[in-house]
Each structure stands twice: as structure tokens, then as C-alpha cells.
Amino acid sequence: MERINRRTLLGAAGAALACPAYAQQIGPWQPNRPIQLIVGYAPGGGSDIIARTIAEACSGIIPVPMVVVNRPGAGGALAAEFVARAAPDGHTLVMHGGSESTSLPAFRDVPYDPKKSFRAVIRLTRNGHVLSCKGGERPTYPDFAAAMAAAKANPGGVAHGSAGIGTLSHSIFILMERAVGVEFLHVPYTGGGPALQALLAGQTQLNINATDELGDQVTSGALKALAVASEARAKAYPNVPTLRELGYDIVADNMKGWVGPAGMTDEMVTYLHDRFRQGMQTPTWQRFMERVGESDGYANGPDFQLSMDRLLDSIRAAIKRT
């Protein structure tokens, strides 16, 4: 009997070594190979920089390499589809919270369910979208009320740029049209950068950009910030009112955080959440947040998902009424 038990134990030990999944079952879950951090936009953009910064911040906290993989295309939808179909083993995450999850699905069919195909882990950042016009000594509009009055007086005559049809920068203007009772002329571009350049060149009159896209254009006076579509005033622009302060209940933060496939277990999510949260306390991450002029954007997985769902629902409702 003793000999049989020894064989059984040896066999079980061999199976654990040969099969990582089995090894995970006999101890707390942790990653056992590199984690893919999927970004749905090109290298060098805001999402890419956030992903690489938090990966660096967590390099001494998560015991496996974290590899940032850029899969740009379709406003982030290609990357979202890739992760929705990935094995829910905790080793594949995608940067979420932007157009791919809060806006695009309101405009067209996407090959994933933004509410059910993913398991949210953590929100890393939340910054406001800034409504701006051309600045200088005589800005296009002195304030938000003047811009809306011009739009009301000339329906379809005030042009705004966007990063493309179905993006958040497009949707926020639709939300404003419904709330204020105006009609803008939409001019879609291939991204936030070209839309911003069109505004600076005087080709459009209004634009929406995330605070981390504006650089020093507002502080230098090249642009004038009129309002912020966020819950609170932007740290970088403390004198610019929110749309809520101006009487319009529009909150459309530019959120970034990690989600994985829907089948991830509670243990996987807790492990990853806690370690990314630790990374957000490191000097590497804190210096980054100070540099971009933003406050802590943290939310746990369920709250992150809820905030994405609410924004998507508000955009869907606005589109149905247009």
C-alpha cells in the first residue's frame, strides 16, 4: 500500500510539472508566462504610453514579463475582438475605456459585446474631454454660451472636427446637440491629431480632445478651452467649467484601464487588480500622472465596467433621438 501511495504522489507531482493548469489548481493563481497587454492604437499615442508606463511601474511587482502589443485598427475594435476571443487565463488584457467600448458599439455592429465579452480588472486613468476653439487675442468664441448661440443662429453652420465617425469626440458633440438643442456640422478626420490641426488652421470652429492630447496648446493661447465633459474640472485647466456646471448633464471621460476575456476567474482578477494598483503607487507612475497633469483615475473592475456601460447607454440614447 505504501508503494502505491508513493507512485500516486510521484505521478501527481509529474503531472503538475507537465501541466501548468494543474499546478495552478493546487495553489493560488499567478501568471506563469508573459502577459500580453494589447493596445488598439498605434505606438506613441496616449493609450500606448499609458500601457508602457504601467508595465514599467509593475515590472518589480508582477513576476513575469509584460509585453505591450499594438493592434491598431477600426477605432480599437480589432484589439477588443482579439481579446474577447482569447483564452480567459489571465495572460491577455486589452486597454479599454475609449471609443471601442463606450462609443463605436452605438454606431455600428462590432464583433463583441461591450458589456458581456470582457471582465474588467482596473481603471488606470480618467481625464476629461475639452471643448475648445481657436485662441489668440480674438478667439473664435469668448465662452461656451457664445459658441452655442452661434450654433443656434446658424444650424449646421458651425463645424466641429472629430477623430472619426463613432469615436468619443464625435459622440460628445451629439450629446451636446441633444442637450443644448443645436445642430453642428460634423467633419471627421483620421484621428485626434489631424482634427486638432484642422482647428488650429481655422478649418473647423470647435473640437473635442482629451486633456493629454492638447499638450501646451491651451496654456500657450493657441486654443481657448470652453468647457470640460467630465465629472470634475481638469487638474490641468482649473478655470475651465464642466458641462455640468454650465447646466448640461454630460460626462464623457476619456478612461483607460485593463480588461480581459469574460471567463477570467475572481482569483485572476484580484491578483492582477491588486498588483496594478500597487504599480499606481510607484514613483514611475506618479511622475507620469504629474507630467500629464491628471489626478488618480483609479476604479476597481466593477466600477470601471459600470462607468463604461453608462456612457455607452447615454450615447445610444442620444443617437436614437437624432
Side-chain angles (χ1 to χ4, degrees):
M1 182 66 68
E2 180 182 354
R3 188 175 182 180
I4 295 174
N5 286 340
R6 289 181 63 189
R7 285 181 177 176
T8 302
L9 290 172
L10 288 171
L17 291 173
C19 179
Y22 182 87
Q24 291 172 10
Q25 293 173 10
I26 62 175
W29 183 87
Q30 63 177 356
N32 55 23
R33 62 181 186 276
I35 295 175
Q36 288 192 89
L37 302 177
I38 310 298
V39 176
Y41 303 91
S47 296
D48 179 71
I49 293 171
I50 291 169
R52 294 181 189 277
T53 303
I54 194 63
E56 179 185 354
C58 292
S59 60
I61 300 171
I62 296 178
V64 297
M66 286 166 285
V67 183
V68 177
V69 180
N70 298 90
R71 298 179 68 93
L78 292 182
E81 178 186 7
F82 176 81
V83 174
R85 298 179 185 276
D89 57 13
H91 292 83
T92 306
L93 304 175
V94 64
M95 183 68 72
H96 233 40
S99 298
E100 75 291 323
S101 50
T102 62
S103 185
L104 281 176
F107 286 82
R108 64 173 188 259
D109 291 336
V110 292
Y112 54 86
D113 187 323
K115 296 184 179 183
K116 297 179 180 179
S117 296
F118 305 96
R119 181 83 187 269
V121 175
I122 189 171
R123 188 176 68 193
L124 302 168
T125 66
R126 185 189 68 183
N127 51 34
H129 281 97
V130 180
L131 173 69
S132 60
C133 65
K134 194 172 181 180
E137 293 184 4
R138 298 184 64 182
T140 306
Y141 303 109
D143 54 29
F144 178 83
M148 297 305 105
K152 284 183 178 180
N154 186 15
V158 174
H160 76 82
S162 81
I165 295 173
T167 60
L168 264 175
S169 55
H170 177 202
S171 295
I172 293 171
F173 275 101
I174 294 177
L175 293 173
M176 286 198 298
E177 286 180 332
R178 299 306 307 173
V180 184
V182 297
E183 180 184 349
F184 299 108
L185 173 64
H186 177 216
V187 184
Y189 292 87
T190 57
L196 187 61
Q197 291 304 312
L199 180 66
L200 290 166
Q203 297 169 2
T204 56
Q205 287 76 57
L206 294 171
N207 207 53
I208 286 282
N209 288 92
T211 53
D212 58 357
E213 294 177 328
L214 289 172
D216 63 353
Q217 301 288 357
V218 174
T219 54
S220 70
L223 294 179
K224 180 176 179 59
L226 302 175
V228 182
S230 59
E231 289 188 3
R233 294 192 178 195
K235 184 178 178 181
Y237 311 112
N239 296 322
V240 180
T242 67
L243 287 171
R244 275 185 170 174
E245 289 179 90
L246 295 169
Y248 305 103
D249 190 18
I250 300 173
V251 175
D253 287 319
N254 182 41
M255 300 175 284
K256 300 298 176 186
W258 295 123
V259 307
M264 288 173 58
T265 66
D266 291 346
E267 192 175 16
M268 294 173 187
V269 172
T270 298
Y271 178 98
L272 293 167
H273 167 275
D274 291 352
R275 281 150 185 80
F276 280 118
R277 185 57 175 153
Q278 289 178 46
M280 294 174 72
Q281 313 304 319
T282 64
T284 297
W285 183 258
Q286 294 295 320
R287 285 193 297 267
F288 167 71
M289 295 299 289
E290 185 66 28
R291 188 168 69 250
V292 299
E294 292 298 334
S295 303
D296 186 12
Y298 165 76
N300 62 29
D303 288 344
F304 181 27
Q305 186 65 55
L306 181 61
S307 60
M308 290 188 287
D309 292 348
R310 284 176 172 169
L311 180 51
L312 177 59
D313 288 343
S314 67
I315 292 171
R316 280 175 166 163
I319 291 175
K320 287 180 179 179
R321 294 199 300 269
T322 58

Short mmCIF file of all heavy atoms in Angstrom, two decimals, residues 80 84 96-106 110-121 259-263 301-302 304-317 320:
data_model
loop_
_atom_site.label_atom_id
_atom_site.label_comp_id
_atom_site.label_asym_id
_atom_site.label_seq_id
_atom_site.Cartn_x
_atom_site.Cartn_y
_atom_site.Cartn_z
N ALA A 80 -10.01 44.82 -29.39
CA ALA A 80 -11.06 44.34 -28.48
C ALA A 80 -11.55 42.97 -28.92
O ALA A 80 -11.75 42.07 -28.08
CB ALA A 80 -12.21 45.34 -28.45
N ALA A 84 -11.45 39.53 -26.74
CA ALA A 84 -12.73 38.87 -26.45
C ALA A 84 -12.68 37.39 -26.81
O ALA A 84 -13.33 36.57 -26.16
CB ALA A 84 -13.86 39.56 -27.20
N HIS A 96 -8.83 49.37 -22.38
CA HIS A 96 -10.23 49.61 -22.67
C HIS A 96 -10.66 50.95 -22.08
O HIS A 96 -9.93 51.57 -21.31
CB HIS A 96 -11.07 48.48 -22.04
CG HIS A 96 -12.00 47.81 -22.99
ND1 HIS A 96 -11.69 47.49 -24.28
CD2 HIS A 96 -13.27 47.34 -22.81
CE1 HIS A 96 -12.70 46.87 -24.86
NE2 HIS A 96 -13.68 46.78 -23.99
N GLY A 97 -11.87 51.38 -22.42
CA GLY A 97 -12.45 52.58 -21.85
C GLY A 97 -12.63 53.71 -22.83
O GLY A 97 -13.24 54.73 -22.52
N GLY A 98 -12.10 53.53 -24.06
CA GLY A 98 -12.23 54.56 -25.08
C GLY A 98 -13.36 54.27 -26.04
O GLY A 98 -14.36 53.61 -25.70
N SER A 99 -13.19 54.70 -27.27
CA SER A 99 -14.26 54.59 -28.27
C SER A 99 -14.70 53.16 -28.50
O SER A 99 -15.88 52.88 -28.72
CB SER A 99 -13.80 55.21 -29.60
OG SER A 99 -13.52 56.58 -29.44
N GLU A 100 -13.75 52.20 -28.44
CA GLU A 100 -14.08 50.80 -28.74
C GLU A 100 -15.11 50.22 -27.78
O GLU A 100 -15.84 49.29 -28.13
CB GLU A 100 -12.80 49.96 -28.73
CG GLU A 100 -12.24 49.63 -27.35
CD GLU A 100 -11.68 50.84 -26.62
OE1 GLU A 100 -11.08 51.71 -27.28
OE2 GLU A 100 -11.82 50.91 -25.38
N SER A 101 -15.20 50.78 -26.58
CA SER A 101 -16.11 50.24 -25.57
C SER A 101 -17.24 51.17 -25.19
O SER A 101 -18.26 50.71 -24.67
CB SER A 101 -15.32 49.87 -24.30
OG SER A 101 -14.50 50.96 -23.89
N THR A 102 -17.12 52.46 -25.45
CA THR A 102 -18.12 53.41 -24.99
C THR A 102 -18.83 54.16 -26.10
O THR A 102 -19.79 54.88 -25.83
CB THR A 102 -17.47 54.46 -24.06
OG1 THR A 102 -16.47 55.18 -24.79
CG2 THR A 102 -16.82 53.79 -22.85
N SER A 103 -18.38 54.00 -27.36
CA SER A 103 -18.98 54.81 -28.43
C SER A 103 -19.21 54.03 -29.71
O SER A 103 -20.33 54.01 -30.24
CB SER A 103 -18.09 56.02 -28.71
OG SER A 103 -18.68 56.88 -29.65
N LEU A 104 -18.20 53.38 -30.25
CA LEU A 104 -18.35 52.66 -31.51
C LEU A 104 -19.53 51.70 -31.54
O LEU A 104 -20.26 51.64 -32.53
CB LEU A 104 -17.05 51.91 -31.84
CG LEU A 104 -15.90 52.71 -32.43
CD1 LEU A 104 -14.68 51.81 -32.61
CD2 LEU A 104 -16.27 53.35 -33.76
N PRO A 105 -19.75 50.91 -30.45
CA PRO A 105 -20.87 49.96 -30.49
C PRO A 105 -22.24 50.62 -30.60
O PRO A 105 -23.22 49.94 -30.91
CB PRO A 105 -20.74 49.20 -29.16
CG PRO A 105 -19.30 49.32 -28.79
CD PRO A 105 -18.92 50.71 -29.24
N ALA A 106 -22.32 51.93 -30.35
CA ALA A 106 -23.59 52.64 -30.51
C ALA A 106 -23.85 52.98 -31.97
O ALA A 106 -25.00 53.20 -32.37
CB ALA A 106 -23.59 53.92 -29.68
N VAL A 110 -20.30 45.53 -33.78
CA VAL A 110 -18.92 45.14 -33.53
C VAL A 110 -18.90 43.66 -33.18
O VAL A 110 -19.90 43.12 -32.67
CB VAL A 110 -18.28 45.98 -32.41
CG1 VAL A 110 -18.10 47.42 -32.84
CG2 VAL A 110 -19.13 45.91 -31.13
N PRO A 111 -17.80 42.96 -33.43
CA PRO A 111 -17.75 41.51 -33.21
C PRO A 111 -17.53 41.11 -31.77
O PRO A 111 -16.84 40.13 -31.48
CB PRO A 111 -16.58 41.08 -34.11
CG PRO A 111 -15.69 42.26 -34.14
CD PRO A 111 -16.59 43.46 -34.10
N TYR A 112 -18.10 41.85 -30.85
CA TYR A 112 -18.02 41.54 -29.43
C TYR A 112 -19.13 42.30 -28.73
O TYR A 112 -19.68 43.27 -29.27
CB TYR A 112 -16.66 41.91 -28.84
CG TYR A 112 -16.26 43.34 -29.10
CD1 TYR A 112 -16.66 44.38 -28.25
CD2 TYR A 112 -15.48 43.67 -30.20
CE1 TYR A 112 -16.31 45.70 -28.51
CE2 TYR A 112 -15.11 44.99 -30.46
CZ TYR A 112 -15.54 46.00 -29.62
OH TYR A 112 -15.19 47.31 -29.88
N ASP A 113 -19.49 41.87 -27.54
CA ASP A 113 -20.48 42.57 -26.74
C ASP A 113 -19.73 43.43 -25.73
O ASP A 113 -19.05 42.89 -24.86
CB ASP A 113 -21.38 41.57 -26.01
CG ASP A 113 -22.54 42.23 -25.29
OD1 ASP A 113 -22.34 43.34 -24.75
OD2 ASP A 113 -23.63 41.65 -25.24
N PRO A 114 -19.81 44.77 -25.83
CA PRO A 114 -19.01 45.61 -24.94
C PRO A 114 -19.34 45.43 -23.46
O PRO A 114 -18.52 45.76 -22.61
CB PRO A 114 -19.33 47.03 -25.41
CG PRO A 114 -20.65 46.91 -26.11
CD PRO A 114 -20.66 45.55 -26.74
N LYS A 115 -20.52 44.88 -23.16
CA LYS A 115 -20.91 44.70 -21.77
C LYS A 115 -20.69 43.28 -21.25
O LYS A 115 -20.61 43.07 -20.04
CB LYS A 115 -22.38 45.08 -21.58
CG LYS A 115 -22.68 46.55 -21.84
CD LYS A 115 -24.13 46.85 -21.53
CE LYS A 115 -24.47 48.31 -21.75
NZ LYS A 115 -25.87 48.64 -21.39
N LYS A 116 -20.61 42.29 -22.17
CA LYS A 116 -20.58 40.90 -21.72
C LYS A 116 -19.34 40.12 -22.16
O LYS A 116 -19.08 39.04 -21.63
CB LYS A 116 -21.82 40.17 -22.22
CG LYS A 116 -23.13 40.72 -21.68
CD LYS A 116 -24.33 39.96 -22.22
CE LYS A 116 -25.64 40.51 -21.70
NZ LYS A 116 -26.82 39.78 -22.25
N SER A 117 -18.60 40.64 -23.12
CA SER A 117 -17.48 39.87 -23.67
C SER A 117 -16.19 40.02 -22.86
O SER A 117 -15.20 39.35 -23.16
CB SER A 117 -17.20 40.29 -25.11
OG SER A 117 -18.29 39.97 -25.95
N PHE A 118 -16.20 40.88 -21.83
CA PHE A 118 -14.97 41.18 -21.11
C PHE A 118 -15.18 41.12 -19.60
O PHE A 118 -16.30 41.18 -19.11
CB PHE A 118 -14.47 42.58 -21.50
CG PHE A 118 -14.30 42.76 -22.98
CD1 PHE A 118 -15.30 43.35 -23.74
CD2 PHE A 118 -13.15 42.33 -23.61
CE1 PHE A 118 -15.17 43.52 -25.11
CE2 PHE A 118 -13.00 42.49 -24.98
CZ PHE A 118 -14.00 43.08 -25.73
N ARG A 119 -14.08 41.02 -18.90
CA ARG A 119 -14.07 41.10 -17.43
C ARG A 119 -13.13 42.24 -17.06
O ARG A 119 -11.91 42.16 -17.27
CB ARG A 119 -13.58 39.78 -16.83
CG ARG A 119 -13.55 39.76 -15.29
CD ARG A 119 -14.90 39.43 -14.72
NE ARG A 119 -14.93 39.57 -13.27
CZ ARG A 119 -14.65 38.57 -12.40
NH1 ARG A 119 -14.33 37.38 -12.86
NH2 ARG A 119 -14.71 38.77 -11.10
N ALA A 120 -13.69 43.32 -16.53
CA ALA A 120 -12.88 44.48 -16.19
C ALA A 120 -12.01 44.19 -14.98
O ALA A 120 -12.45 43.58 -14.01
CB ALA A 120 -13.78 45.68 -15.93
N VAL A 121 -10.78 44.67 -15.03
CA VAL A 121 -9.80 44.45 -13.95
C VAL A 121 -9.57 45.72 -13.14
O VAL A 121 -9.70 45.72 -11.92
CB VAL A 121 -8.46 43.95 -14.54
CG1 VAL A 121 -7.40 43.83 -13.43
CG2 VAL A 121 -8.65 42.61 -15.23
N VAL A 259 -8.96 45.30 -19.20
CA VAL A 259 -9.99 44.27 -19.14
C VAL A 259 -9.44 43.03 -19.82
O VAL A 259 -8.51 43.10 -20.62
CB VAL A 259 -11.31 44.71 -19.82
CG1 VAL A 259 -11.79 46.04 -19.29
CG2 VAL A 259 -11.15 44.77 -21.33
N GLY A 260 -10.02 41.88 -19.46
CA GLY A 260 -9.65 40.62 -20.09
C GLY A 260 -10.88 39.91 -20.60
O GLY A 260 -11.99 40.43 -20.53
N PRO A 261 -10.72 38.70 -21.13
CA PRO A 261 -11.88 37.93 -21.61
C PRO A 261 -12.86 37.65 -20.47
O PRO A 261 -12.49 37.58 -19.29
CB PRO A 261 -11.24 36.63 -22.12
CG PRO A 261 -9.81 36.96 -22.36
CD PRO A 261 -9.44 37.99 -21.35
N ALA A 262 -14.11 37.46 -20.83
CA ALA A 262 -15.18 37.34 -19.84
C ALA A 262 -15.00 36.18 -18.88
O ALA A 262 -15.47 36.24 -17.75
CB ALA A 262 -16.52 37.22 -20.55
N GLY A 263 -14.33 35.11 -19.29
CA GLY A 263 -14.23 33.93 -18.43
C GLY A 263 -13.17 33.97 -17.37
O GLY A 263 -12.97 32.97 -16.65
N GLY A 301 -12.61 46.94 -10.90
CA GLY A 301 -13.18 46.37 -12.11
C GLY A 301 -14.67 46.63 -12.29
O GLY A 301 -15.09 47.14 -13.34
N PRO A 302 -15.51 46.28 -11.31
CA PRO A 302 -16.96 46.50 -11.48
C PRO A 302 -17.32 47.97 -11.70
O PRO A 302 -18.18 48.28 -12.53
CB PRO A 302 -17.54 45.97 -10.16
CG PRO A 302 -16.56 44.95 -9.70
CD PRO A 302 -15.22 45.49 -10.09
N PHE A 304 -15.38 50.29 -12.98
CA PHE A 304 -14.88 50.64 -14.31
C PHE A 304 -15.88 50.20 -15.37
O PHE A 304 -16.24 50.98 -16.27
CB PHE A 304 -13.52 49.99 -14.52
CG PHE A 304 -12.86 50.27 -15.84
CD1 PHE A 304 -13.12 51.43 -16.55
CD2 PHE A 304 -11.95 49.36 -16.37
CE1 PHE A 304 -12.49 51.69 -17.77
CE2 PHE A 304 -11.32 49.61 -17.57
CZ PHE A 304 -11.59 50.77 -18.28
N GLN A 305 -16.37 48.97 -15.26
CA GLN A 305 -17.34 48.47 -16.24
C GLN A 305 -18.62 49.29 -16.19
O GLN A 305 -19.20 49.62 -17.24
CB GLN A 305 -17.64 46.99 -15.97
CG GLN A 305 -18.52 46.35 -17.03
CD GLN A 305 -17.85 46.28 -18.38
OE1 GLN A 305 -16.74 45.75 -18.50
NE2 GLN A 305 -18.50 46.80 -19.41
N LEU A 306 -19.07 49.63 -15.00
CA LEU A 306 -20.30 50.41 -14.85
C LEU A 306 -20.16 51.78 -15.51
O LEU A 306 -21.09 52.24 -16.20
CB LEU A 306 -20.64 50.57 -13.37
CG LEU A 306 -21.93 51.33 -13.05
CD1 LEU A 306 -23.14 50.63 -13.63
CD2 LEU A 306 -22.08 51.48 -11.53
N SER A 307 -19.02 52.42 -15.34
CA SER A 307 -18.84 53.74 -15.94
C SER A 307 -18.80 53.65 -17.46
O SER A 307 -19.34 54.53 -18.15
CB SER A 307 -17.57 54.40 -15.40
OG SER A 307 -16.42 53.63 -15.70
N MET A 308 -18.20 52.60 -18.01
CA MET A 308 -18.21 52.41 -19.46
C MET A 308 -19.62 52.15 -19.97
O MET A 308 -20.05 52.71 -20.99
CB MET A 308 -17.28 51.26 -19.86
CG MET A 308 -15.80 51.54 -19.68
SD MET A 308 -14.73 50.25 -20.36
CE MET A 308 -14.95 48.93 -19.15
N ASP A 309 -20.36 51.31 -19.27
CA ASP A 309 -21.73 50.97 -19.68
C ASP A 309 -22.63 52.19 -19.67
O ASP A 309 -23.46 52.39 -20.59
CB ASP A 309 -22.32 49.90 -18.76
CG ASP A 309 -21.63 48.55 -18.91
OD1 ASP A 309 -20.85 48.37 -19.87
OD2 ASP A 309 -21.86 47.67 -18.05
N ARG A 310 -22.50 53.02 -18.66
CA ARG A 310 -23.35 54.21 -18.56
C ARG A 310 -23.09 55.18 -19.71
O ARG A 310 -24.03 55.74 -20.29
CB ARG A 310 -23.10 54.91 -17.21
CG ARG A 310 -23.76 54.21 -16.04
CD ARG A 310 -23.40 54.88 -14.74
NE ARG A 310 -24.18 54.35 -13.62
CZ ARG A 310 -23.91 54.61 -12.34
NH1 ARG A 310 -22.91 55.41 -12.01
NH2 ARG A 310 -24.67 54.08 -11.38
N LEU A 311 -21.83 55.37 -20.06
CA LEU A 311 -21.50 56.28 -21.16
C LEU A 311 -22.02 55.72 -22.47
O LEU A 311 -22.61 56.46 -23.28
CB LEU A 311 -19.99 56.49 -21.22
CG LEU A 311 -19.48 57.43 -22.32
CD1 LEU A 311 -20.22 58.76 -22.31
CD2 LEU A 311 -17.98 57.64 -22.18
N LEU A 312 -21.85 54.42 -22.70
CA LEU A 312 -22.36 53.80 -23.92
C LEU A 312 -23.88 53.94 -24.00
O LEU A 312 -24.43 54.27 -25.07
CB LEU A 312 -21.96 52.33 -23.97
CG LEU A 312 -22.50 51.51 -25.14
CD1 LEU A 312 -22.05 52.10 -26.47
CD2 LEU A 312 -22.05 50.05 -25.03
N ASP A 313 -24.57 53.72 -22.90
CA ASP A 313 -26.03 53.84 -22.89
C ASP A 313 -26.48 55.26 -23.22
O ASP A 313 -27.47 55.46 -23.95
CB ASP A 313 -26.59 53.42 -21.53
CG ASP A 313 -26.50 51.92 -21.29
OD1 ASP A 313 -26.30 51.17 -22.27
OD2 ASP A 313 -26.62 51.51 -20.12
N SER A 314 -25.77 56.26 -22.69
CA SER A 314 -26.16 57.65 -22.95
C SER A 314 -25.95 58.00 -24.42
O SER A 314 -26.76 58.72 -25.01
CB SER A 314 -25.38 58.60 -22.05
OG SER A 314 -23.99 58.61 -22.37
N ILE A 315 -24.90 57.48 -25.03
CA ILE A 315 -24.64 57.76 -26.45
C ILE A 315 -25.67 57.03 -27.31
O ILE A 315 -26.19 57.61 -28.28
CB ILE A 315 -23.21 57.35 -26.82
CG1 ILE A 315 -22.21 58.27 -26.11
CG2 ILE A 315 -22.99 57.38 -28.33
CD1 ILE A 315 -20.77 57.83 -26.22
N ARG A 316 -25.99 55.79 -26.98
CA ARG A 316 -27.02 55.06 -27.72
C ARG A 316 -28.35 55.80 -27.67
O ARG A 316 -29.05 55.91 -28.69
CB ARG A 316 -27.17 53.65 -27.16
CG ARG A 316 -26.10 52.68 -27.64
CD ARG A 316 -26.22 51.33 -26.96
NE ARG A 316 -25.41 50.32 -27.64
CZ ARG A 316 -25.05 49.15 -27.11
NH1 ARG A 316 -25.46 48.84 -25.88
NH2 ARG A 316 -24.33 48.30 -27.79
N ALA A 317 -28.70 56.31 -26.50
CA ALA A 317 -29.97 57.03 -26.37
C ALA A 317 -29.97 58.32 -27.19
O ALA A 317 -30.97 58.66 -27.81
CB ALA A 317 -30.23 57.35 -24.89
N LYS A 320 -30.43 57.50 -30.94
CA LYS A 320 -31.80 57.13 -31.26
C LYS A 320 -32.71 58.33 -31.39
O LYS A 320 -33.69 58.31 -32.13
CB LYS A 320 -32.34 56.18 -30.19
CG LYS A 320 -31.76 54.77 -30.25
CD LYS A 320 -32.36 53.90 -29.16
CE LYS A 320 -31.79 52.48 -29.22
NZ LYS A 320 -32.35 51.62 -28.13
#
